[in-house]
Amino acid sequence: MKRTRIAQVLASEDIGAKITVMGWVRTRRDSKGGFSFIEVNDGSSLSGIQIIADKKLPNYESEILKLQTGCSIKAVGTVVASPGKGQKVELQAEELEVLGWADPEVYPLQKKRHSFEFLRTIAHLRPRTNTFGAVARVRNAMSLAIHTFFQERGFIYLHTPIITGSDCEGAGEMFRVTAFDLDEVPQKEGKVDFEKDFFSTPANLTVSGQLEAEIYALSMGDVYTFGPTFRAENSNTSRHLAEFWMVEPEMAFCDLDGNVDLAEEFIKYIINDVLEKCEEDMAFFNRFIDKSVIETLEGVVSKEFERLTYTEAIEVLGKAKEQFEFPVDWGSDLQSEHERYLCEKVFKKPVVLVDYPTGIKPFYMKVNEDGKTVRAMDVLVPKIGEIIGGSQREDDYDTLLKRIKETGLNPDDYWWYLELRKFGSAPHAGFGLGFERLIQFVTGMSNIRDVIPFQRTPGNVSF
Amino acid sequence: MKRTRIAQVLASEDIGAKITVMGWVRTRRDSKGGFSFIEVNDGSSLSGIQIIADKKLPNYESEILKLQTGCSIKAVGTVVASPGKGQKVELQAEELEVLGWADPEVYPLQKKRHSFEFLRTIAHLRPRTNTFGAVARVRNAMSLAIHTFFQERGFIYLHTPIITGSDCEGAGEMFRVTAFDLDEVPQKEGKVDFEKDFFSTPANLTVSGQLEAEIYALSMGDVYTFGPTFRAENSNTSRHLAEFWMVEPEMAFCDLDGNVDLAEEFIKYIINDVLEKCEEDMAFFNRFIDKSVIETLEGVVSKEFERLTYTEAIEVLGKAKEQFEFPVDWGSDLQSEHERYLCEKVFKKPVVLVDYPTGIKPFYMKVNEDGKTVRAMDVLVPKIGEIIGGSQREDDYDTLLKRIKETGLNPDDYWWYLELRKFGSAPHAGFGLGFERLIQFVTGMSNIRDVIPFQRTPGNVSF
């Protein structure tokens, strides 16, 4: 079943070419002159193609005049110049076959605008809308750009495990994974008998591939992960998902400065790539979703990120005339309002904060010589706040062991992580980026549930 | 911390260049002339670089003469021509800094050959070996080739959900996912009270992204997934993992022939790409792991795959002089021995079987006009047997509904899957490929646990 993608037809403008197009009807208009204009979209681009169906077609009365939004069709015809505004070509149909009907009485997607809330309940049909088709194409382009960015720089793509025996990766609540029938969990001496479970021990869904990525960084040099991660947090917000995709580069022989450099280069690369490759979709977002999105992105790529320490940021915030909801104290975590204030009001560009207080960061971050701060970095962007978090990792065995104990963790659970510091340890660093947050930033979509194909949030596991 | 990757040093042969190299010591030999040869590897290639450290270096006695396998070092020096055989360049060190020691009394990786079984118990160190470094690089190259193949053809990369509310995707035993404390699972009327769980309903780990990929195919045209999938099957074999990565393309406006064409093109593309990009690593596998692996792969890419129906295959097998362990009857599934016999003895190349009996294939495959067979396809390769399974999907609403009921499934669980056949249905097809099986085929590695960074199998969830 050979077909030409509509994106290609529109791009090549190959007048006179005889082609076959297949896709879904968006609209049909009938002219009094005895022919119909059928707008068809096949997902390859935001724009569809206009098909002209003449009443001479044998099924004009019996089928074509009954075509409605959502029907799938096959049209064989010739590319002709379009007399109208907008697109330069259209398709003069010589044959039009209906592949699948869509009864307008029950088809949920009609010509009117639907709310995003409603569209989430029909996630099996929403990619047929302009907005969600554009999200899918941009998400695809960004995914590819992630791979291209790292591969061009000699990084190795690594698949870290999804099911983990660790319940203390230190990044939030975890989902449990079991092969038990929950109605009949085997017990032994009044407790769950995990020896009988699939892995003979409790298992969870990963919250981060970082610790395993460090293994490969300390063998292969530079690696990155790009895979799903999980949080069992009961957060019903526009910024949280229980299942989301994360990008985590990890570099041996790299310190915090190199880490910040890579993060800045990475964000700029992805944005430049999307602006170039998804021009039509980005123009759509800029027109219908967030009228400042392209301007914001162009600001990000054109300016050098501001770099300062957490301590300097606290000083800046302390002098601010702004009234914050949360207090600003050295030693406490910055809130989104503080992060956005720094980006939007003070520096008017992305900001990288480094050297956070030890007490508010995980055990694996390298302790600075002052003993009070760690080599952490957060990248903050306008409108979103933190988009990347990372650090140079503690590579000294004794310091790491001390930090693990201080944090109340069991060193036995980290035997292999500690051994990496015992056998050929090396300075290394990395960061994590929540992919959906970056898509939100790039598209301007306000709810994170709308930038992932199928949302997993409290109470939502459909499709 | 700027460094030059060893792969680049060896490739560029830039005599006279002053560079910094960082990596892990493999061996050290001391010459009587007062200098040492240190072989260093940084994971960028199978080959390491030889570093010449002269006794004039200030830390020659105190440190360099104590260097052992596994130590990490930084060497600044000049690229010089190598007088020896093998590599053309080596590094004359002007400065050599030890970054991390590795006590030979306790460091588990020594110069001798270790069994793969033993190396699985030190998965945090095994990527530092030749074999597992090569596996990591080949796995990376193959991952990238998957993306390149589909992106070049206009497919959209899709992230299908890992956590699913469906417990009947029809491809095997599923793991359960819960936020409950298994010691205190809430009950209601003697049963688990799933309303209190995170998703308010039972949830599982996906066994396939196919059903969701069909959603996007029927909106965007051509899509593919590449992500982790799960089986809670208690299989302790060299071919099964509880967590593995799967590639699943799904194409709208595509029939079984188009599907078979794509599968053949896909396999050949990946193999050609690896043979070209991982020449050194593939030569290593061919020498130390499986002496026929390159010949087998070259056979696959140079020959047209044999295509025949399941019924024809049964006839061929019925006439075979070979004594099979399992009987060959029309209507029963082929065993690995039959599949390998067809590829290795009869056709001496990959074989694609189509049109399998309805009874041994899932409900979603399109029923042929004979009513007895479905438009299934299996791609079989030498040594492995089935490597790809796929089908044209049932796109007729009534037939699909009937098949769901016949199979004993509840149509309500498939409401959205059925609706795809109600609203703009179209012929579509796709297939699934287990990524680790393909890596086994490409590398010749005999145990699937050795081609994934961290194995998840019964009793194994470490790292």
Side-chain angles (χ1 to χ4, degrees):
Chain A
M1 304 183 74
K2 221 173 158 222
R3 69 180 172 110
T4 307
R5 283 201 185 82
I6 290 170
Q8 199 192 318
V9 180
L10 299 178
S12 65
E13 300 178 3
D14 189 8
I15 307 287
K18 181 144 181 176
I19 58 167
T20 301
V21 154
M22 307 191 205
W24 292 268
V25 172
R26 287 289 177 84
T27 58
R28 191 198 84 233
R29 284 186 300 118
D30 305 318
S31 133
K32 284 178 189 157
F35 48 91
S36 300
F37 298 106
I38 304 156
E39 177 83 14
V40 174
N41 188 291
D42 67 2
S44 61
S45 61
L46 188 76
S47 298
I49 194 165
Q50 178 154 281
I51 295 177
I52 306 148
D54 194 281
K55 69 175 171 193
K56 284 177 212 144
L57 291 172
N59 59 342
Y60 186 75
E61 297 278 339
S62 61
E63 294 192 318
I64 294 172
L65 283 181
K66 291 173 187 158
L67 283 175
Q68 302 275 0
T69 307
C71 294
S72 57
I73 64 160
K74 170 186 171 183
V76 183
T78 305
V79 178
V80 295
S82 174
K85 274 188 193 172
Q87 275 151 29
K88 292 195 181 131
V89 294
E90 50 193 34
L91 188 72
Q92 179 71 50
E94 281 139 35
E95 197 186 312
L96 197 152
E97 184 187 337
V98 181
L99 300 173
W101 294 98
D103 180 355
E105 297 290 316
V106 285
Y107 187 55
L109 282 181
Q110 292 304 327
K111 264 177 263 181
K112 64 168 190 146
R113 213 183 253 219
H114 300 282
S115 77
F116 290 163
E117 287 77 9
F118 169 71
L119 290 174
R120 275 173 224 143
T121 69
I122 51 165
H124 61 311
L125 301 173
R126 71 174 182 173
R128 298 184 186 182
T129 64
N130 281 337
T131 304
F132 291 91
V135 167
R137 283 184 297 271
V138 166
R139 189 178 170 110
N140 171 65
M142 290 173 66
S143 297
L144 187 68
I146 287 166
H147 286 296
T148 314
F149 175 83
F150 288 116
Q151 296 285 338
E152 281 175 358
R153 283 156 187 79
F155 283 59
I156 283 189
Y157 180 34
L158 173 69
H159 294 128
T160 48
I162 307 302
I163 304 176
T164 170
S166 165
D167 64 352
C168 39
E169 288 168 354
E173 291 274 320
M174 299 180 93
F175 284 104
R176 272 157 280 280
V177 175
T178 178
F180 287 151
D181 177 347
L182 293 192
D183 269 311
E184 294 175 28
V185 177
Q187 302 239 328
K188 195 179 171 183
E189 294 165 10
K191 289 223 143 201
V192 177
D193 186 3
F194 280 111
E195 277 192 25
K196 292 214 175 79
D197 205 352
F198 191 91
F199 296 110
S200 310
T201 186
N204 299 291
L205 288 181
T206 185
V207 294
S208 161
Q210 179 203 315
L211 305 195
E212 289 90 356
E214 288 184 50
I215 289 175
Y216 270 75
L218 292 169
S219 304
M220 313 297 298
D222 299 324
V223 302
Y224 68 105
T225 74
F226 181 27
T229 43
F230 306 85
R231 297 280 188 287
E233 275 155 25
N234 200 359
S235 303
N236 260 307
T237 79
S238 61
R239 286 162 44 90
H240 290 88
L241 291 167
E243 173 180 325
F244 58 98
W245 282 64
M246 192 134 82
V247 183
E248 296 182 285
E250 189 73 32
M251 297 154 280
F253 315 115
C254 180
D255 57 17
L256 190 61
D257 285 340
N259 205 19
V260 176
D261 289 344
L262 189 86
E264 178 168 348
E265 206 181 331
F266 174 72
I267 288 184
K268 288 178 171 174
Y269 182 99
I270 304 294
I271 292 175
N272 270 324
D273 200 72
V274 173
L275 287 173
E276 186 194 318
K277 303 224 174 98
C278 301
E279 208 181 329
E280 187 187 27
D281 290 319
M282 287 306 301
F284 172 85
F285 289 120
N286 202 58
R287 185 165 169 203
F288 293 105
I289 302 296
D290 174 353
K291 293 201 188 304
S292 66
V293 72
I294 290 184
E295 190 191 334
T296 304
L297 296 176
E298 284 173 347
V300 169
V301 295
S302 64
K303 290 176 195 160
E304 211 170 297
F305 291 11
E306 188 72 28
R307 302 183 187 196
L308 65 165
T309 64
Y310 166 91
T311 305
E312 288 163 345
I314 292 292
E315 277 168 31
V316 171
L317 291 166
K319 288 178 199 149
K321 295 199 184 96
E322 194 101 351
Q323 195 70 31
F324 295 118
E325 194 188 337
F326 294 92
V328 178
D329 296 312
W330 197 98
S332 56
D333 222 348
L334 296 185
Q335 301 297 319
S336 193
E337 56 172 345
H338 309 130
E339 296 172 342
R340 293 187 56 176
Y341 176 80
L342 291 169
C343 293
E344 294 166 21
K345 302 284 170 65
V346 184
F347 299 107
K348 299 189 188 342
K349 60 182 178 177
V351 173
V352 188
L353 299 188
V354 298
D355 296 338
Y356 280 74
T358 311
I360 56 170
K361 290 290 179 184
F363 69 92
Y364 50 71
M365 297 191 174
K366 187 161 181 67
V367 179
N368 275 313
E369 282 176 14
D370 64 14
K372 293 187 303 184
T373 59
V374 289
R375 291 190 191 164
M377 68 167 202
D378 278 2
V379 180
L380 320 175
V381 293
K383 295 188 206 171
I384 302 266
E386 186 202 321
I387 200 157
I388 279 180
S391 71
Q392 186 172 341
R393 319 305 187 185
E394 185 56 74
D395 55 349
D396 179 71
Y397 182 88
D398 294 327
T399 312
L400 181 64
L401 182 61
K402 188 165 153 266
R403 288 279 291 143
I404 286 176
K405 286 178 180 167
E406 275 174 8
T407 324
L409 300 170
N410 181 357
D412 293 346
D413 293 338
Y414 296 93
W415 69 272
W416 56 263
Y417 192 69
L418 281 159
E419 281 199 351
L420 295 176
R421 279 74 181 167
K422 209 177 193 165
F423 303 129
S425 185
H428 62 289
F431 62 78
L433 168 130
F435 185 44
E436 284 76 14
R437 293 257 174 100
L438 186 61
I439 305 177
Q440 278 192 279
F441 183 60
V442 165
T443 58
M445 294 290 286
S446 61
N447 197 316
I448 200 165
R449 299 171 188 217
D450 297 327
V451 298
I452 191 163
F454 306 97
Q455 61 154 322
R456 297 297 179 249
T457 48
N460 291 304
V461 72
S462 305
F463 304 103
Chain B
M1 304 183 75
K2 219 173 161 221
R3 69 181 173 110
T4 307
R5 284 201 184 83
I6 290 170
Q8 199 192 319
V9 180
L10 299 178
S12 65
E13 299 177 4
D14 188 10
I15 308 286
K18 181 145 180 173
I19 57 166
T20 301
V21 154
M22 306 191 206
W24 291 269
V25 173
R26 286 289 176 85
T27 59
R28 191 198 83 232
R29 284 184 302 118
D30 304 318
S31 133
K32 285 178 188 157
F35 48 91
S36 300
F37 299 105
I38 303 156
E39 177 83 13
V40 174
N41 189 291
D42 67 1
S44 62
S45 61
L46 189 76
S47 299
I49 194 164
Q50 178 154 279
I51 296 177
I52 308 150
D54 194 280
K55 68 175 172 193
K56 284 177 211 145
L57 291 172
N59 58 342
Y60 186 75
E61 297 278 338
S62 61
E63 295 193 318
I64 293 172
L65 282 181
K66 291 173 187 158
L67 282 175
Q68 301 275 1
T69 306
C71 294
S72 57
I73 63 161
K74 171 185 171 183
V76 183
T78 306
V79 179
V80 296
S82 174
K85 275 188 192 171
Q87 274 152 31
K88 293 196 180 128
V89 294
E90 49 194 34
L91 188 71
Q92 180 72 50
E94 281 138 34
E95 197 185 313
L96 197 153
E97 184 188 337
V98 182
L99 300 173
W101 294 97
D103 180 355
E105 297 290 318
V106 286
Y107 187 54
L109 282 180
Q110 292 302 325
K111 264 177 262 180
K112 64 171 190 145
R113 215 183 252 220
H114 300 282
S115 77
F116 290 164
E117 287 77 9
F118 169 69
L119 290 173
R120 274 173 225 142
T121 68
I122 50 164
H124 62 311
L125 300 172
R126 70 174 184 174
R128 298 184 185 182
T129 65
N130 281 336
T131 305
F132 291 90
V135 168
R137 283 182 298 271
V138 166
R139 189 178 169 109
N140 172 65
M142 289 172 67
S143 298
L144 188 67
I146 287 166
H147 286 296
T148 315
F149 175 83
F150 289 116
Q151 296 285 337
E152 281 175 357
R153 283 156 187 77
F155 284 59
I156 283 190
Y157 180 33
L158 173 69
H159 294 127
T160 48
I162 307 302
I163 304 175
T164 168
S166 164
D167 63 353
C168 39
E169 288 168 355
E173 291 275 319
M174 301 180 94
F175 284 104
R176 272 157 279 280
V177 175
T178 178
F180 285 150
D181 177 348
L182 293 192
D183 268 311
E184 294 174 28
V185 176
Q187 302 239 327
K188 194 178 170 183
E189 295 165 11
K191 291 222 142 203
V192 177
D193 186 4
F194 280 111
E195 276 193 24
K196 293 214 175 78
D197 205 351
F198 191 91
F199 296 111
S200 311
T201 186
N204 299 291
L205 288 182
T206 185
V207 294
S208 161
Q210 178 202 316
L211 305 196
E212 288 90 356
E214 289 184 51
I215 288 174
Y216 271 75
L218 291 169
S219 303
M220 314 296 298
D222 299 324
V223 302
Y224 68 106
T225 74
F226 182 28
T229 44
F230 305 85
R231 298 279 188 285
E233 274 155 28
N234 201 359
S235 303
N236 260 307
T237 80
S238 61
R239 287 162 43 91
H240 289 89
L241 292 167
E243 174 180 325
F244 58 99
W245 281 63
M246 193 134 83
V247 183
E248 297 182 286
E250 189 73 31
M251 297 155 281
F253 315 115
C254 180
D255 57 18
L256 191 61
D257 285 340
N259 206 19
V260 176
D261 289 345
L262 189 86
E264 178 168 348
E265 205 183 332
F266 174 72
I267 288 184
K268 289 179 171 175
Y269 181 99
I270 304 293
I271 292 175
N272 270 324
D273 200 71
V274 173
L275 288 174
E276 186 195 317
K277 304 226 173 96
C278 301
E279 206 181 332
E280 187 186 29
D281 290 319
M282 287 306 302
F284 172 86
F285 289 119
N286 201 59
R287 186 166 170 204
F288 293 105
I289 302 295
D290 174 353
K291 292 197 188 306
S292 66
V293 71
I294 289 184
E295 191 191 332
T296 305
L297 296 177
E298 283 173 348
V300 168
V301 295
S302 64
K303 290 175 194 160
E304 211 170 296
F305 290 11
E306 189 72 28
R307 302 184 186 195
L308 64 165
T309 65
Y310 166 90
T311 304
E312 288 163 345
I314 291 291
E315 277 169 31
V316 171
L317 291 167
K319 288 178 199 149
K321 295 199 183 95
E322 193 102 350
Q323 196 68 32
F324 294 120
E325 193 188 336
F326 294 91
V328 178
D329 297 311
W330 198 99
S332 57
D333 221 347
L334 295 185
Q335 300 297 319
S336 192
E337 55 173 344
H338 309 131
E339 296 172 342
R340 293 186 57 177
Y341 176 79
L342 291 170
C343 292
E344 295 166 20
K345 302 284 170 66
V346 185
F347 299 107
K348 299 187 191 337
K349 60 182 180 178
V351 174
V352 188
L353 299 188
V354 298
D355 295 338
Y356 280 73
T358 311
I360 57 171
K361 289 289 179 185
F363 69 92
Y364 50 72
M365 296 191 175
K366 185 160 183 70
V367 180
N368 275 313
E369 282 176 14
D370 64 14
K372 293 188 302 184
T373 59
V374 289
R375 291 191 190 162
M377 68 166 202
D378 278 3
V379 180
L380 320 174
V381 293
K383 294 189 207 173
I384 301 266
E386 186 201 322
I387 200 157
I388 279 180
S391 70
Q392 186 172 341
R393 318 305 186 185
E394 184 55 73
D395 55 349
D396 179 72
Y397 182 89
D398 294 328
T399 312
L400 181 64
L401 182 61
K402 187 164 154 266
R403 289 280 291 143
I404 287 176
K405 287 179 180 165
E406 273 174 11
T407 323
L409 299 170
N410 182 356
D412 292 345
D413 293 339
Y414 296 94
W415 69 271
W416 55 264
Y417 192 69
L418 281 159
E419 279 199 2
L420 295 176
R421 280 73 180 166
K422 208 176 193 166
F423 304 128
S425 186
H428 62 290
F431 62 79
L433 168 129
F435 185 43
E436 283 77 14
R437 292 257 174 99
L438 186 62
I439 305 177
Q440 278 192 277
F441 183 62
V442 165
T443 59
M445 294 289 286
S446 60
N447 196 314
I448 200 165
R449 298 170 190 219
D450 296 327
V451 297
I452 190 161
F454 306 97
Q455 61 155 320
R456 297 297 180 249
T457 49
N460 291 304
V461 71
S462 305
F463 303 103

